[in-house]
Amino acid sequence: FDLRIVINSHAADDDLVSGWTGEPYLAIGHSHEDLWSSHAIDALVHELGHSRGVPDLYAAEVAVEGNPINGEGFEAPRCMMNNPYGESEWSDYAKAIINASADQRTCVNHLDLFPDEIKTTVLNSEGRFAKGAYLRFYPVYAHSNKVSEEPLYEGRLSVTGNFLFIENPFVDPENPENLIANYLVAVDYDGKRAYGWMPMYEAQLAKLQGEDKYVCTIQFTGNEINSPDYDYKTDRMGEFENLPGWKF
């Protein structure tokens, strides 16, 4: 099918000519004065990715100065849907969504691409379930480039070693447009603390690859710091996989 590209090198501030417009227009706005420069072409290819349903991978990134919890930054994988300038790679995630959209004029909605189950498991340094480990999930709201100071979810692993979410943790039920693109996960176990990341694109890739569940695994190495003092809000431990940790 044809794709409309609107080129306007003299756009007013309120002109809708930048990026993918989505429905009902199904058009790409392009405002680079030098249309065929490598910079402009890279931007155009990036927007073509949006037209096939791929969101910005950089929405999940975190700057070092934007992480008040442990000072770590997070970088999404190389991809035209991350920073496209000078890039030529397409990530497995981007390729899977493009293939899912195939020849449909209206692309798939990536918010429909979540598996039935989303859960986190923790392993000790010997590779066994760290039963009773306490987890806190600090959200990274899309495009914020920072970790929130307060956890959105927290609780202990079940006896089966899983923290199962009873709702999609990446979509705010009170404001579906307020996407959570990533989580910094802090885990306390046996007097030690470990950290890990749970990006939205990994959960969606599991669905795209035919999986009915996504499991974020965090493993202790034996070199973690001692657990800082923390006011644990619950000692509730799920008895079975379908009893989750709790949201506060």
Side-chain angles (χ1 to χ4, degrees), residues 198-248:
M198 190 174 78
M200 179 179 71
Y201 59 76
E202 284 190 358
Q204 293 179 325
L205 181 58
K207 172 71 172 181
L208 288 159
Q209 292 176 336
E211 301 293 333
D212 60 2
K213 66 180 67 174
Y214 164 67
V215 182
C216 171
T217 301
I218 298 172
Q219 181 164 8
F220 280 76
T221 64
N223 298 316
E224 285 75 20
I225 63 171
N226 292 330
S227 294
D229 292 336
Y230 183 77
D231 180 18
Y232 298 110
K233 293 185 177 179
T234 179
D235 280 326
R236 180 64 182 262
M237 182 189 296
E239 297 297 331
F240 307 98
E241 281 194 29
N242 64 345
L243 291 180
W246 300 95
K247 179 179 179 179
F248 291 90

Side-chain angles (χ1 to χ4, degrees), residues 38 74 134 215:
S38 61
F74 178 84
Y134 195 93
V215 182

Side-chain angles (χ1 to χ4, degrees), residues 17 19 47 64 69 76 86 106 116 118 143 145 154 156 164 189 200 202-203 235 247:
V17 295
E47 298 306 326
V64 169
I69 307 304
T106 301
D116 296 334
I118 297 175
H143 297 102
N145 208 30
E154 64 182 289
R156 295 190 183 276
L164 177 67
Y189 173 71
M200 179 179 71
E202 284 190 358
D235 280 326
K247 179 179 179 179

Side-chain angles (χ1 to χ4, degrees), residues 120-220:
T120 300
T121 191
V122 181
L123 304 178
N124 62 24
S125 59
E126 297 177 346
R128 300 188 179 94
F129 287 131
K131 296 178 181 179
Y134 195 93
L135 294 81
R136 293 182 307 288
F137 296 82
Y138 296 90
V140 177
Y141 289 94
H143 297 102
S144 70
N145 208 30
K146 63 182 181 181
V147 176
S148 299
E149 293 186 6
E150 297 295 328
L152 189 58
Y153 298 90
E154 64 182 289
R156 295 190 183 276
L157 291 188
S158 71
V159 294
T160 59
N162 293 300
F163 185 106
L164 177 67
F165 291 93
I166 57 175
E167 60 191 16
N168 186 340
F170 298 104
V171 178
D172 186 340
E174 298 180 359
N175 183 6
E177 298 301 319
N178 196 21
L179 289 180
I180 299 169
N182 200 353
Y183 280 94
L184 174 66
V185 187
V187 185
D188 288 333
Y189 173 71
D190 198 24
K192 299 291 184 179
R193 177 169 295 178
Y195 293 95
W197 297 95
M198 190 174 78
M200 179 179 71
Y201 59 76
E202 284 190 358
Q204 293 179 325
L205 181 58
K207 172 71 172 181
L208 288 159
Q209 292 176 336
E211 301 293 333
D212 60 2
K213 66 180 67 174
Y214 164 67
V215 182
C216 171
T217 301
I218 298 172
Q219 181 164 8
F220 280 76

